[in-house]
Amino acid sequence: MCGIVGIIGNDNAGYKVLQGLKDLEYRGYDSAGIATIHNDRLGVKKSVGKISVMEDGFLKKPLEGRIGIGHTRWATHGVPSISNAHPHLDCSGRIAVVHNGIIENFVSIQKLLIKEGHKFVSESDTEVLAHLIEKFYKGNIERAVKEALMLVKGTYAIAVICAQEPGKLIIARHQSPLVMGVVKKGSYIIASDITPISKLTKRVIYLSDNEMAVLSMKDYHIVKISDLSRNLVKNIERIDWELGDSEKGKYKHFMLKEINEQPDIVKNIIFSHVIKKKGMIKFGGLESTWRTDNKKEQGKTGMDYLLNVSRIIILGCGTSWHSGLIGEYIIENLVGLPVEVEYASEARYRNLCINKNDMVLAISQSGETADTLMAIKEAKKKGAVTFGLVNVVGSSIAREVSGGIYLHAGPEIGVASTKAFTGQTIILALMAVLLGRHKGKISLERGKKIIKSLEKVPVQMKNIIDNDNSIKLLAKRLAKYNNFLYLGRAYNFPVALEGALKLKEISYIHSEGYPAAEMKHGPIALIDKNMPVVVIATDTEDEIYEKIISNIREIKSRRGIVIAVASEGNRKIRNIVDETIYIPRTDDFLVPILSVIPLQLLAYHIAVKKGCSVDKPRNLAKSVTVE
Ligand code: M6R
């Protein structure tokens, strides 16, 4: 949550910071602010609401300077207001700080600083940082920042500038993401993630926890916060995101663009990992040696671990948790290996029992979700081998785990996750096939058949997306309802959860996902003529299909409106439901990758019809970096 940007060594630093904030707006959009230094003076601009408000003001009266910092806020401490917006300043107005994270002990520090005469103007926890730095400032901003950070507890990624040292940008991180882009010697951009950085440079350095960097118009150095005397040597890495990846292009919203990107992403994933002749799957991330502190385990590859695990524990949040559930069903069915799926936030605070041969798999699009990151750290403390399924390269989770697989789905900007879900699900399905083949649960012949089905999936996805118009018309008819139920069984139960999440987060319509059979244990009481029920009723498994048809009849007996997602060619179902959306046929375990698409489109069109802010829904942020 919250995004920070900083620029040094660029003639148009303020404007560049503004552009960077636009790219980070998906992290929070309650308020924004920019500070630059020009002629040894700090200039500050703040606005409440989206970056467009800031942009209007900025363009009328730009902030000049070759150094600047900026912030886009997702409110944690204090309402969205000008005074709570970052950058926060010290009493003298010489030091400006932007911060992503939470200073947990800010109340006690604030009391102390107030006693010493510091004047606070906001409710924000961040403001203590500015005053604390001021307290320690004796002509060396690097030292003052370090001394301040030694006193704070909590999480932070910060950028600090000081009018008395106008040629220095200080950044530091502890459990909040921060990346530094090297444009050229003496010219740098820093940000919460690589999206704004990739427009200026492809060369980045990922800061680790407790590290601080001092960037100047000549050079930079990186140190441990606890040891300023020793410079750290860190590799410059190359990022491969292209400029267009984070642009909307011809689409009205990022969400629609990302829905449309899914067939290609899934195609790339499938075609880069299948070995047709062998009916086999291969992942580079599993073939490589995994990181470990255990000397006895050094040199082990991901496959060495994976083939010997007795249980996989999947951790994730939101949509990533849903794909984890599908992974559980697929791996248990195809491989017979026990899998548990936990909300990362819950796993962390209960005594999650981790046994010797368990592997903990973190699923996260952003790789920055604080709940998942902390749960992974907890699992590591308990001795677990950890594994990541992450989209953002170099993100905190990707660097925390022993090894893993990247989605390579490109930046997902829309707050509602779409392409990450299908990317995660297809990788979990491929992992199941890989394990099944190695463990003799899937024969060569079956492996080859599965690959044939897999190869058809991208085109099938595209066919559903091409049917967008009929879903749009349906959305128009349904947008007036206030409550929705989503039901599914087996592989389609997590899809029901995902469909309901998509609708509620972007259209603000109350919606719940349930296993279809659970309806009679409570939710059925809600059904009347004003309750649309989206039932995923594909017929790949006969027994399950018959049961779901009974559930549909139960809904119809209570005058509920049934929208069925059905398998192509199933004409009969039209006689018992109100609306039908058809999806192509595939193997049962691949159905979720197809059945989720109409639900993404339905949510999207309902939200558009209601005039909602599709890509930036209220109260949400793309990267949830607070617990
Ligand atoms: O980046 P992550 O996959 O770790 O994010 C987890 C959730 O915050 C995320 O899936 C969220 O639920 C989305 N807004 C759902 O569309």
Side-chain angles (χ1 to χ4, degrees):
M1 318 233 146
C2 300
I4 69 170
V5 185
I7 301 262
I8 184 163
N10 187 302
D11 284 341
N12 224 346
Y15 182 74
K16 286 275 190 276
V17 168
L18 174 69
Q19 297 307 314
L21 290 181
K22 283 198 210 161
D23 289 328
L24 290 184
E25 195 176 14
Y26 66 87
R27 301 176 71 91
Y29 26 86
D30 288 332
S31 66
I34 297 177
T36 63
I37 304 174
H38 183 53
N39 291 338
D40 297 342
R41 298 185 81 132
L42 209 58
V44 180
K45 267 190 193 293
K46 296 184 181 186
S47 61
V48 174
K50 298 196 170 143
I51 307 282
S52 53
V53 181
M54 156 69 65
E55 188 170 26
D56 291 346
F58 188 96
L59 294 179
K60 275 182 206 140
K61 205 162 178 254
L63 288 172
E64 289 180 63
R66 301 196 73 226
I67 179 169
I69 55 175
H71 187 270
T72 180
R73 178 168 185 247
W74 185 83
T76 57
H77 290 65
V79 293
S81 67
I82 292 288
S83 55
N84 286 335
H86 299 216
H88 287 287
L89 307 188
D90 68 327
C91 298
S92 68
R94 293 171 309 179
I95 296 167
V97 180
V98 290
H99 166 221
N100 170 24
I102 293 178
I103 304 300
E104 285 162 6
N105 58 343
F106 87 99
V107 175
S108 57
I109 297 179
Q110 193 182 44
K111 267 190 196 154
L112 191 118
L113 290 166
I114 289 173
K115 262 194 197 158
E116 291 180 4
H118 291 263
K119 298 267 177 299
F120 281 78
V121 295
S122 76
E123 303 158 89
S124 163
D125 55 321
T126 303
E127 197 184 348
V128 299
L129 277 175
H131 292 281
L132 210 50
I133 296 169
E134 176 183 29
K135 173 183 161 77
F136 292 118
Y137 187 66
K138 311 238 163 18
N140 182 336
I141 189 68
E142 177 179 354
R143 183 150 289 280
V145 172
K146 180 228 156 177
E147 286 182 35
L149 292 180
M150 298 290 274
L151 288 184
V152 301
K153 290 203 180 93
T155 58
Y156 55 79
I158 58 163
V160 183
I161 53 175
C162 171
Q164 275 163 297
E165 294 178 67
K168 272 188 194 163
L169 169 63
I170 314 284
I171 59 170
R173 77 159 267 180
H174 181 62
Q175 293 181 6
S176 287
L178 192 55
V179 193
M180 179 183 147
V182 180
V183 182
K184 61 181 183 198
K185 202 168 156 54
S187 174
Y188 309 98
I189 170 169
I190 67 94
S192 300
D193 70 36
I194 58 177
T195 327
I197 295 180
S198 64
K199 293 185 174 167
L200 295 187
T201 178
K202 298 273 181 275
R203 302 192 311 140
V204 300
I205 296 175
Y206 294 98
L207 244 57
S208 302
D209 281 351
N210 305 313
E211 287 180 358
M212 182 165 129
V214 181
L215 318 176
S216 79
M217 307 221 188
K218 289 193 184 121
D219 215 338
Y220 70 87
H221 64 271
I222 300 172
V223 289
K224 274 251 169 268
I225 293 170
S226 54
D227 180 6
L228 292 190
S229 56
R230 194 166 57 88
N231 285 358
L232 300 172
V233 180
K234 299 208 55 149
N235 286 343
I236 298 184
E237 298 176 35
R238 260 200 92 76
I239 48 172
D240 60 1
W241 285 12
E242 292 306 322
L243 207 57
D245 291 348
S246 51
E247 306 287 339
K248 271 201 290 247
K250 63 178 182 186
Y251 296 98
K252 199 168 159 209
H253 296 102
F254 278 110
M255 183 178 175
L256 188 59
K257 178 187 179 219
E258 288 156 8
I259 290 174
N260 275 272
E261 282 171 356
Q262 294 178 107
D264 280 343
I265 291 163
V266 167
K267 186 173 167 187
N268 284 342
I269 293 174
I270 293 171
F271 284 82
S272 28
H273 299 295
V274 298
I275 311 170
K276 262 190 187 181
K277 274 189 194 156
K278 296 186 180 170
M280 184 50 101
I281 308 293
K282 203 176 164 146
F283 284 105
L286 297 181
E287 304 284 325
S288 59
T289 310
W290 279 13
R291 295 182 282 265
T292 175
D293 294 334
N294 183 340
K295 279 199 178 133
K296 282 190 204 146
E297 311 237 302
Q298 264 154 18
K300 274 192 168 184
T301 66
M303 285 307 285
D304 293 334
Y305 288 113
L306 202 57
L307 291 177
N308 290 302
V309 294
S310 43
R311 184 173 65 146
I312 298 178
I313 301 171
I314 298 180
L315 303 177
C317 301
T319 289
S320 295
W321 184 76
H322 295 158
S323 67
L325 277 183
I326 298 173
E328 174 185 33
Y329 283 41
I330 302 180
I331 296 171
E332 290 195 344
N333 282 346
L334 263 54
V335 190
L337 179 70
V339 180
E340 277 176 34
V341 188
E342 301 280 342
Y343 280 119
S345 53
E346 288 296 312
R348 191 189 164 197
Y349 289 107
R350 68 184 182 81
N351 188 20
L352 187 64
C353 295
I354 296 176
N355 304 319
K356 199 167 157 261
N357 285 328
D358 288 345
M359 177 183 266
V360 176
L361 165 56
I363 305 184
S364 175
Q365 185 286 130
S366 61
E368 300 297 349
T369 300
D371 288 323
T372 313
L373 179 61
M374 299 317 283
I376 274 289
K377 289 189 178 181
E378 207 54 40
K380 274 173 81 175
K381 275 193 209 152
K382 291 183 175 173
V385 176
T386 54
F387 169 27
L389 181 47
V390 171
N391 189 33
V392 178
V393 176
S395 55
S396 303
I397 293 173
R399 287 181 303 124
E400 188 65 40
V401 290
S402 304
I405 299 173
Y406 279 121
L407 293 187
H408 292 301
E412 191 179 65
I413 311 283
V415 164
S417 184
T418 52
K419 61 179 181 177
F421 176 83
T422 41
Q424 291 160 352
T425 307
I426 195 76
I427 288 180
L428 289 165
L430 294 182
M431 269 178 60
V433 178
L434 168 78
L435 282 173
R437 288 284 292 117
H438 275 283
K439 287 177 177 281
K441 303 277 179 180
I442 297 175
S443 65
L444 170 66
E445 198 187 345
R446 172 124 195 262
K448 284 183 178 171
K449 270 195 187 152
I450 290 177
I451 290 179
K452 276 198 178 146
S453 302
L454 281 166
E455 285 176 341
K456 288 186 197 149
V457 167
V459 176
Q460 294 176 320
M461 294 173 89
K462 188 157 182 330
N463 288 345
I464 303 171
I465 295 170
D466 290 346
N467 189 24
D468 188 31
N469 256 339
S470 60
I471 298 176
K472 194 172 175 179
L473 291 175
L474 176 61
K476 277 191 184 155
R477 296 197 287 279
L478 294 176
K480 63 178 184 213
Y481 293 99
N482 296 323
N483 298 287
F484 276 65
L485 263 184
Y486 284 73
L487 303 178
R489 280 177 178 252
Y491 292 118
N492 281 324
F493 155 54
V495 178
L497 296 179
E498 177 61 6
L501 176 62
K502 288 295 86 100
L503 185 69
K504 76 177 79 151
E505 72 179 327
I506 61 169
S507 74
Y508 318 140
I509 293 176
H510 172 244
S511 48
E512 297 297 332
Y514 265 93
E518 275 296 302
M519 180 183 66
K520 58 186 178 291
H521 298 290
I524 198 163
L526 297 169
I527 292 174
D528 64 12
K529 63 180 182 0
N530 292 315
M531 175 65 94
V533 187
V534 178
V535 186
I536 309 147
T538 49
D539 58 15
T540 23
E541 291 164 283
D542 288 347
E543 205 188 350
I544 287 177
Y545 178 67
E546 291 310 325
K547 296 267 160 40
I548 212 139
I549 291 298
S550 305
N551 298 138
I552 290 176
R553 291 191 195 281
E554 288 155 13
I555 302 164
K556 285 313 298 172
S557 314
R558 285 150 186 95
R559 300 172 68 208
I561 307 156
V562 175
I563 301 103
V565 175
S567 307
E568 221 164 39
N570 178 358
R571 285 166 180 260
K572 272 195 195 160
I573 199 166
R574 284 158 72 170
N575 301 327
I576 55 168
V577 303
D578 299 276
E579 306 275 357
T580 314
I581 305 171
Y582 285 109
I583 61 167
R585 287 173 184 278
T586 183
D587 292 11
D588 54 3
F589 72 99
L590 298 174
V591 168
I593 296 156
L594 301 181
S595 57
V596 75
I597 294 177
L599 307 193
Q600 296 169 343
L601 287 166
L602 187 64
Y604 172 77
H605 288 302
I606 290 179
V608 172
K609 169 79 183 145
K610 290 190 73 189
C612 298
S613 173
V614 172
D615 287 332
K616 297 176 197 130
R618 70 182 178 208
N619 305 341
L620 283 168
K622 183 71 182 163
S623 271
V624 187
T625 54
V626 291
E627 279 189 83

